[in-house]
Amino acid sequence: MNSDNILRSEPRRHPIGRGWAWVRTGFDIFNKGMGVSVAMIVLWFLVGLVLEQLPAGGFISQLLYMVWGAGWVAVAARGYGGNALQFSDFFSGFRHRLTPLMLGGLMVLCLFTLILLICFGLLHLWDLTGLLSQDPETLTVTPEQAQRFLLCLLLGLALLVPVLMAITFAPALIFFHGIGIWQAARLSFKGCLSNMWPFLWWGLLGAVLILFGALLFLVGLLVVLPAINYSIYAAYRDIYLEEQECTDAPPPVKAFGFEA
């Protein structure tokens, strides 16, 4: 799908408060089709559960990571334009640019595996791998071992953050603009780095909303998770599209909440 919107040569920087605008826009898009959004998130979870029962289900799920991501932004694009959401758009990644999106999922799997291998290698080097198989109730750890476990955990998180930055916008960039996987990952990383503070605010708001959604007997997640996914599309428009194409960003929102 070739987008009519022009991709900026460099990602645009935004102030920290823009993170709230992205979240708010995500909920506004959710309001364009609440039933459709809930149906999509339920289907997403059910497909994941079914795949986990298959011998290679985890591998297949990872391959589909960016395919589903493209579906979420395709749905969001329709809602952003003021139209009602359509369930069929959720499968846009399967109909268009499926191969590069699946290769992107494979890239993500390789990067995650590399991080795990590095962390496991450190645990093996420090003779800590045996502790992983011990019963937690009888496990005894010395202060030195605890420090090394913590160091390994912090290293894993430090390596994970740039990977997440590289894949946040990659599905949208591949799907809408047809750019290569590595170029999409590079642009995604650069866009997140240029907007570190608004993304920090966006992440904190998202974490709080997900926590509240989980506390509401998980029912709230049926609202929060689609809205968070839609907010990624709002951020993509703000950061990567030419300013004259984004004069309507974010779209007008009435009051924060859900329309009946």
Side-chain angles (χ1 to χ4, degrees):
M1 168 188 253
N2 293 324
S3 175
D4 293 333
N5 297 312
I6 302 174
L7 193 64
R8 292 175 58 90
S9 57
E10 290 293 328
R12 184 182 180 189
R13 293 177 181 269
H14 290 283
I16 186 172
R18 201 63 171 178
W20 160 251
W22 297 335
V23 173
R24 187 186 62 183
T25 301
F27 278 96
D28 186 53
I29 294 174
F30 178 85
N31 288 336
K32 300 296 191 301
M34 290 183 284
V36 171
S37 298
V38 171
M40 289 189 298
I41 201 71
V42 170
L43 175 67
W44 195 30
F45 280 133
L46 289 178
V47 170
L49 289 175
V50 171
L51 288 177
E52 287 302 320
Q53 307 306 314
L54 302 178
F59 177 72
I60 297 173
S61 292
Q62 195 59 60
L63 287 181
L64 295 178
Y65 174 83
M66 289 196 182
V67 179
W68 291 122
W72 282 111
V73 295
V75 173
R78 184 180 297 276
Y80 191 96
N83 302 308
L85 305 186
Q86 289 190 6
F87 188 79
S88 60
D89 288 340
F90 192 45
F91 304 97
S92 296
F94 291 92
R95 298 191 298 265
H96 188 72
R97 304 202 185 281
L98 177 61
T99 299
L101 289 168
M102 292 187 69
L103 289 176
L106 180 62
M107 177 193 71
V108 174
L109 176 62
C110 291
L111 291 174
F112 284 166
T113 303
L114 179 60
I115 293 174
L116 288 175
L117 288 175
I118 292 173
C119 293
F120 187 81
L122 279 178
L123 292 176
H124 180 74
L125 180 65
W126 293 332
D127 294 324
L128 298 176
T129 52
L131 298 176
L132 299 176
S133 59
Q134 291 187 16
D135 187 349
E137 295 182 358
T138 60
L139 179 64
T140 56
V141 181
T142 65
E144 182 181 4
Q145 289 175 326
Q147 289 177 358
R148 289 181 173 179
F149 264 118
L150 180 60
L151 180 60
C152 186
L153 177 62
L154 292 176
L155 176 62
L157 290 174
L159 294 174
L160 182 62
V161 168
V163 173
L164 295 177
M165 293 168 64
I167 65 178
T168 297
F169 296 115
L173 292 167
I174 293 172
F175 181 74
F176 289 120
H177 305 282
I179 63 178
I181 301 167
W182 289 108
Q183 185 185 2
R186 181 182 63 82
L187 282 175
S188 179
F189 177 83
K190 197 170 184 179
C192 290
L193 186 63
S194 301
N195 293 274
M196 180 173 56
W197 295 116
F199 263 108
L200 177 61
W201 184 224
W202 172 85
L204 290 174
L205 289 171
V208 171
L209 289 170
I210 289 173
L211 176 61
F212 276 114
L215 291 176
L216 295 173
F217 303 102
L218 302 181
V219 176
L221 293 179
L222 297 178
V223 175
V224 172
L225 292 181
I228 294 297
N229 283 326
Y230 297 151
S231 71
I232 293 176
Y233 175 78
Y236 147 78
R237 285 190 63 94
D238 261 1
I239 295 171
Y240 293 100
L241 300 188
E242 287 289 358
E243 189 170 356
Q244 61 266 27
E245 298 289 343
C246 299
T247 53
D248 57 343
V253 227
K254 297 178 181 178
F256 179 74
F258 310 114
E259 298 172 357

